[in-house]
Amino acid sequence: MDDPQFLVGTPRSELLANMEREGRDPATLDVGINLVLYFVYDYLPHPPVSPGSAPTLSLAGASWVSDGVDRISRLPDVLLRDIISRLPAKDAARTAALSSRWRPLWRSAPLALVDSHLLPDGGAAGQFTIGAPSPRAVTDAVSRVLAAHPGPFRCVHLTRSTMEEHRGEMARWLDILVAKGVQELVFVNRPWPLDLRLPATLFSCASLTRLYLGVWRIPDTAAVPRGARFPNLKELGLCMTVMEDRDLAFMLERSPVLESLIIMGSQTGVRLRLVSQSVRCVQLGYTYLEDIEVVDAPRLERLFQSDNFRQSELTDPSIKNCSSKIKIGCAPNLRVLGYILPGEQELGISNTVIVAGAKESIAPSVQILAIEVQFGCRNSIKKVPGFLRCFPNLGTLHVQSPRIPKESTGKVNLKFWQEGGPIKCVLQSLKKLFFYEFRGSRSEVAFLKFIAERGRVLEQMVVVVAKECFSPGGDGVNAKLKPLTNAKWNSKGCKLELFKSPLTDVAGPICSHRHASDLGFADPFDLKYYYKSETISSGAKKPAFLLESLVSPSKNVL
């Protein structure tokens, strides 16, 4: 399984046969696919209704009213329809049995249909694993509800059917939803196959405001009618899809009010060329990242990437050894950017200024940056100063330090940073630095000491110390942190906070994709130091106080 794309277009039976011939356990195939589906389902939005939130639907409950009058049924139709639209489909249909007043209302109320709610347990057991039988009863129930209700549908989440087994029903479902109107659609194919082609009918659904597609091959957009478009679509999620570059460009072009784009686990390499007058947030997770080019995106505020599959052991060497590129053109409102990997990704910025007679490329709007730096690789560290110079107004910097491999390719000391020339953001604008999984290497200490001694306006430095530093027989946290505490801090008012990481074996940046796409979170990278972490020391930089705190750490939990 060296090539991560070997699964596309290959029947499951053929893959299992190949694994048996090669002496590998066929069960590992389903284990791997179940893991992929776990990530897909994690990225899906939660339904706006749930069985647990629905009240008991009985007018007998009104007996506590002193005069016994059913005042709810006296409400205007528009309010009663709103009540029904907030119920799961099964409960919404049951309102017809309450009284003659309610009987016709459910058919005229926007319906919320979630197929997992049609299961006996209401979906409480979670998603089905690969190999579990597709529940025919649920598929039949979905067909009945879609046929019986005249629409529109407030939201429809269909994630429980193996679409290969129900191609006829699947095509009819989309025909009905296009004809009757659906606002939010989450449509996931439970493989196999992984590249089942999505019916092109979907491109005719003009009513969509939110669309998530999981484990599909996007239809050839060259054959889609020229007039097809998503005039109301604001949020688009493509999870574990197979698509060509032109298909992604087509969907962006035909979505004039799109604000949020999420690409998760694309089965093929991602080459994103962003031209959009409306997109505000782009999020890439578990992708085979190739090139991202922000050509013209005047409203873009966030460009967020996490868990690049390029570093996976399953990634083909030809992909792993190629550096990807991020190019930023017209993005005057880009405020949040990361995680970027210096040394593994090339950063290109079209906006240039003249500094000391030389041209420098800058993105002055970026205020929050997250980078993952391999401090055991000299080539990665050497790229960091150049990256930081691209962001002269940076206010917050997040740095993730992955475990240093045994075959370390060199480290740097404080002299490297001191002789590298001034970095404007460090001197003039950087107020907050968050450093995650500090292990006390010379390169890590040199970087932190450089920021401490050069940061004129630095207000807060947070260092999350890797859990392994506290294991018996180690070098000791005191010794690892002493060089930092002895630094000559430029900003006398800076607050140094030290935390013990609550996690073991951190493989990469800890991210929340829900925070990333929620513009209400000012800093989506700030996870309050992984939600629960042990405070080592806070507020002082004097060595005596610090070392005493490390010996007897406090137990404050954020």
Side-chain angles (χ1 to χ4, degrees):
M1 293 189 189
D2 292 331
D3 184 354
Q5 299 181 28
F6 80 109
L7 300 172
V8 178
T10 307
R12 181 171 181 269
S13 58
E14 182 179 331
L15 287 170
L16 291 174
N18 289 339
M19 294 180 71
E20 288 184 352
R21 282 195 297 270
E22 295 171 5
R24 291 183 288 179
D25 184 0
T28 60
L29 178 63
D30 287 346
V31 171
I33 297 302
N34 281 324
L35 181 62
V36 169
L37 286 182
Y38 167 81
F39 289 121
V40 169
Y41 293 135
D42 185 55
Y43 266 74
L44 300 179
H46 297 304
V49 298
S50 63
S53 64
T56 302
L57 296 171
S58 171
L59 291 183
S63 59
W64 60 270
V65 180
S66 58
D67 55 9
V69 177
D70 173 18
R71 291 185 173 82
I72 294 180
S73 296
R74 292 183 176 183
L75 293 173
D77 284 2
V78 65
L79 291 181
L80 295 180
R81 291 192 189 100
D82 185 61
I83 292 173
I84 293 173
S85 71
R86 298 173 186 275
L87 298 174
K90 188 184 297 186
D91 293 319
R94 288 172 177 166
T95 61
L98 293 177
S99 69
S100 58
R101 173 77 175 87
W102 289 78
R103 194 163 299 132
L105 292 176
W106 89 274
R107 288 176 52 84
S108 59
L111 199 64
L113 173 60
V114 180
D115 59 0
S116 63
H117 295 172
L118 304 176
L119 293 166
D121 66 351
Q127 297 290 345
F128 299 125
T129 59
I130 298 300
S134 182
R136 180 73 216 190
V138 170
T139 305
D140 291 341
V142 169
S143 296
R144 289 195 300 271
V145 173
L146 291 177
H149 197 279
F153 291 90
R154 178 188 174 197
C155 80
V156 176
H157 286 217
L158 303 175
T159 65
R160 297 306 182 102
S161 295
T162 304
M163 300 301 178
E164 169 70 10
E165 299 174 5
H166 308 289
R167 290 197 181 204
E169 289 98 327
M170 173 187 69
R172 283 192 292 274
W173 291 348
L174 289 180
D175 288 340
I176 291 173
L177 292 172
V178 170
K180 296 182 178 181
V182 57
Q183 293 178 334
E184 175 180 317
L185 176 62
V186 175
F187 200 40
V188 177
N189 166 41
R190 290 186 62 249
W192 218 270
L194 288 176
D195 61 337
L196 185 63
R197 190 173 293 278
L198 183 73
T201 311
L202 182 66
F203 286 90
S204 303
C205 195
S207 59
L208 282 168
T209 60
R210 193 184 210 186
L211 173 63
Y212 277 75
L213 300 173
V215 202
W216 294 101
R217 178 182 288 276
I218 302 299
D220 184 2
T221 51
V224 174
R226 294 179 61 87
R229 53 189 280 130
F230 299 110
N232 301 298
L233 188 64
K234 292 188 175 182
E235 185 175 342
L236 173 62
L238 302 172
C239 304
M240 198 61 185
T241 56
V242 180
M243 59 184 171
E244 302 293 335
D245 296 343
R246 66 172 182 271
D247 300 329
L248 179 56
F250 177 91
M251 298 186 77
L252 291 174
E253 179 187 344
R254 303 304 173 91
S255 306
V257 298
L258 186 69
E259 295 185 353
S260 180
L261 171 65
I262 298 173
I263 301 177
M264 177 270 159
S266 175
Q267 296 186 49
T268 49
V270 174
R271 295 185 183 91
L272 173 62
R273 189 174 186 272
L274 185 62
V275 179
S276 172
Q277 301 300 303
S278 59
V279 168
R280 301 176 64 190
C281 177
V282 173
Q283 185 178 169
L284 305 166
Y286 300 101
T287 58
Y288 299 109
L289 182 62
E290 293 186 15
D291 294 336
I292 302 174
E293 184 176 4
V294 180
V295 180
D296 186 15
R299 296 193 65 202
L300 182 66
E301 299 176 32
R302 296 183 176 188
L303 180 55
F304 188 95
Q305 75 164 10
S306 61
D307 302 293
N308 188 346
F309 271 173
R310 185 180 303 279
Q311 302 310 309
S312 170
E313 293 181 359
L314 297 179
T315 302
D316 187 271
S318 64
I319 297 176
K320 181 180 291 189
N321 296 331
C322 295
S323 62
S324 60
K325 298 178 182 178
I326 298 178
K327 300 179 182 178
I328 301 175
C330 179
N333 288 303
L334 181 61
R335 181 176 172 273
V336 179
L337 177 63
Y339 269 89
I340 299 179
L341 287 68
E344 297 175 20
Q345 291 179 310
E346 297 179 18
L347 180 63
I349 299 176
S350 63
N351 183 46
T352 59
V353 295
I354 304 298
V355 178
K359 285 186 177 181
E360 285 193 2
S361 299
I362 64 169
S365 62
V366 174
Q367 298 175 25
I368 300 173
L369 176 68
I371 57 177
E372 183 177 357
V373 182
Q374 178 52 265
F375 282 92
C377 176
R378 187 175 180 85
N379 185 51
S380 294
I381 304 172
K382 287 171 62 177
K383 297 287 185 179
V384 174
F387 271 55
L388 294 181
R389 288 191 180 94
C390 293
F391 310 104
N393 299 318
L394 189 66
T396 301
L397 176 61
H398 295 266
V399 181
Q400 178 78 27
S401 177
R403 184 185 300 276
I404 297 176
K406 293 181 180 179
E407 60 278 7
S408 176
T409 58
K411 301 176 182 179
V412 301
N413 54 25
L414 184 60
K415 185 178 179 182
F416 163 80
W417 296 99
Q418 293 172 336
E419 295 180 348
I423 301 174
K424 185 177 179 180
C425 66
V426 174
L427 294 173
Q428 299 181 8
S429 63
L430 188 64
K431 294 183 178 180
K432 296 181 180 180
L433 172 67
F434 299 88
F435 195 100
Y436 305 109
E437 299 306 311
F438 172 84
R439 294 178 175 84
S441 73
R442 185 179 68 180
S443 296
E444 291 177 324
V445 172
F447 173 75
L448 290 174
K449 196 170 182 179
F450 169 75
I451 298 294
E453 295 183 346
R454 295 297 176 93
R456 298 173 184 171
V457 296
L458 194 65
E459 297 175 356
Q460 180 185 27
M461 179 184 287
V462 173
V463 179
V464 179
V465 182
K467 204 168 188 177
E468 65 193 60
C469 293
F470 297 86
S471 59
D475 294 338
V477 180
N478 291 333
K480 294 178 185 294
L481 288 168
K482 189 173 182 179
L484 178 60
T485 61
N486 287 338
K488 298 178 180 179
W489 291 71
N490 200 327
S491 175
K492 304 306 179 184
C494 180
K495 182 179 181 182
L496 173 63
E497 299 176 76
L498 304 173
F499 293 86
K500 178 181 178 180
S501 173
L503 304 180
T504 304
D505 249 357
V506 178
I510 307 299
C511 302
S512 169
H513 59 86
R514 300 194 190 279
H515 289 182
S517 57
D518 185 348
L519 298 179
F521 280 88
D523 185 350
F525 302 110
D526 184 355
L527 300 184
K528 292 303 177 189
Y529 330 127
Y530 311 154
Y531 299 113
K532 292 183 179 180
S533 54
E534 184 176 300
T535 304
I536 301 173
S537 178
S538 175
K541 299 185 289 292
K542 292 182 179 180
F545 174 86
L546 176 62
L547 298 178
E548 182 181 352
S549 298
L550 291 173
V551 173
S552 303
S554 62
K555 299 296 182 180
N556 297 331
V557 176
L558 293 179

